[in-house]
Amino acid sequence: MRDTKESRLLLVLLIAIAFALITVDIRGGRNSPVDGARHAAAAVFGPIENGLSSAVEPVGNAVSAVRDSGSRHNRLAALEKENAALKAKLGSDDRNRSRLKQLDKMLKVAGEGQYGIKGAQVIAIGSAQGFSWTVTIDVGANDGIKRDMTVLNGDGLVGRVTTVGPDTSTVLLANDPDFTVGTRLEGSDELGFASGQGDRPLRVELLNGKAEVKKGDRLVTFGSQSDKPFVPGVPVGVVSRVDPSGGGLTRTLYVTPYVGFTKLDIVGVVVQAPKKDPRDTVLPAQPKPIPRPTVTVTVTPSADAPADSQQQ
């Protein structure tokens, strides 16, 4: 097409229509009028994004081994066995060693929480479906993935599935401003709601305005009805700041998430919830305090000191 006045006008018009559809889509949420088109786009572009991940085939094969994690009662043993097989497959390449470490951590989280997971790779970021914090993963409806499933990795809560194509899915990340998840405070069991703030800490509103909470306290997901979109017990983050209690109905906290949202690679979609709430068992072990050495000084009178000074 030649660069004419008409072609430039057409381009501006198409861009305006695209922005209008994005706005309608974001405001519409689950009932978005363009949801059907979005699913069609996932079906068309998903295989293309999947093809771009062929360069990491060794890890792709490894993740495939994680996707069928065995029966509920023998899940931990099955995951440990598969993990040993993954180590043999991945070899000693530096990049694969890093991914193997991620798989190790994720398998440990799945075992401790008794979550049935489908392993996946992040193959694209910043979906063109909007200006939200999203990633595309290489599993979809053909792998048993459905909308509103919890997504985690070896560190904790990653997000939830929002759109599912045949072979790929879109995940809304927990730091997105439109993301909200119920939380429970470790130890005190105080409930609240965490919301994403982009590259800033999560904002949590505790339901009890007089709750006792301090910097360093930790939170996990509370869980949703029928475990969708969130299963319970997934680590969320650590309290970094607490707003002074002003006698209101709620109390505001700021939480540093466990997950680094800018460096996601290997993740797991929870396709089977645990039989019972794992509560705080999935949280990482608290670091042991380093003892500070104490120095005791003993003063002994000198033999050369004057007698009168010793008597004093």
Side-chain angles (χ1 to χ4, degrees):
M1 179 183 293
R2 296 190 321 183
D3 185 12
T4 63
K5 182 177 180 181
E6 290 79 8
S7 63
R8 287 196 297 270
L9 179 61
L10 178 60
L11 178 61
V12 172
L13 181 61
L14 290 174
I15 292 173
I17 293 173
F19 274 101
L21 288 175
I22 289 170
T23 302
V24 171
D25 185 29
I26 292 173
R27 292 181 178 178
R30 182 182 299 221
N31 299 317
S32 169
V34 298
D35 193 54
R38 184 168 53 197
H39 281 276
V44 173
F45 293 108
I48 298 174
E49 292 175 331
N50 235 340
L52 295 176
S53 67
S54 60
V56 290
E57 186 65 23
V59 178
N61 293 335
V63 174
S64 297
V66 186
R67 290 176 182 161
D68 298 311
S69 55
S71 64
R72 182 186 296 272
H73 298 291
N74 297 317
R75 186 176 301 122
L76 182 57
L79 289 172
E80 290 175 345
K81 183 178 179 181
E82 289 164 359
N83 195 24
L86 293 177
K87 291 179 180 179
K89 283 186 177 183
L90 290 178
S92 59
D93 179 79
D94 287 343
R95 186 178 183 186
N96 287 341
R97 274 202 300 267
S98 172
R99 292 187 168 190
L100 177 58
K101 185 177 180 180
Q102 295 178 51
L103 285 167
D104 279 336
K105 291 179 68 176
M106 189 172 70
L107 290 170
K108 182 179 179 182
V109 167
E112 290 176 345
Q114 289 294 287
Y115 306 121
I117 63 171
K118 295 281 186 181
Q121 295 178 75
V122 173
I123 58 174
I125 60 173
S127 169
Q129 298 160 8
F131 295 105
S132 53
W133 289 73
T134 62
V135 295
T136 301
I137 56 176
D138 65 346
V139 291
N142 292 337
D143 304 285
I145 306 302
K146 298 178 181 178
R147 183 170 178 156
D148 287 336
M149 285 184 167
T150 307
V151 182
L152 51 77
N153 67 3
D155 296 317
L157 179 67
V158 171
R160 64 179 176 86
V161 176
T162 55
T163 306
V164 181
D167 301 299
T168 62
S169 302
T170 301
V171 177
L172 183 69
L173 302 181
N175 65 334
D176 186 272
D178 289 333
F179 187 97
T180 302
V181 58
T183 61
R184 184 174 55 77
L185 200 62
E186 178 187 17
S188 69
D189 291 339
E190 293 286 355
L191 303 181
F193 291 95
S195 301
Q197 296 195 113
D199 54 3
R200 294 179 293 164
L202 305 176
R203 180 187 175 98
V204 178
E205 296 290 338
L206 290 185
L207 300 183
N208 180 4
K210 299 180 180 179
E212 293 293 330
V213 58
K214 63 184 183 302
K215 182 178 179 179
D217 286 347
R218 306 185 296 177
L219 296 92
V220 298
T221 55
F222 178 64
S224 309
Q225 185 175 7
S226 301
D227 299 308
K228 288 188 177 182
F230 302 109
V231 295
V234 181
V236 174
V238 181
V239 175
S240 57
R241 181 161 67 90
V242 182
D243 277 357
S245 178
L249 296 177
T250 63
R251 190 164 194 192
T252 303
L253 318 175
Y254 296 91
V255 173
T256 301
Y258 283 117
V259 170
F261 298 106
T262 60
K263 52 183 180 181
L264 292 170
D265 191 0
I266 304 299
V267 299
V269 182
V270 180
V271 295
Q272 188 177 43
K275 280 187 175 181
K276 63 179 182 178
D277 188 344
R279 302 188 67 79
D280 302 330
T281 59
V282 187
L283 282 168
Q286 288 276 29
K288 294 182 180 180
I290 301 174
R292 294 183 177 181
T294 56
V295 178
T296 303
V297 178
T298 304
V299 178
T300 304
S302 172
D304 298 331
D308 55 347
S309 63
Q310 292 186 19
Q311 290 176 357
Q312 293 175 3

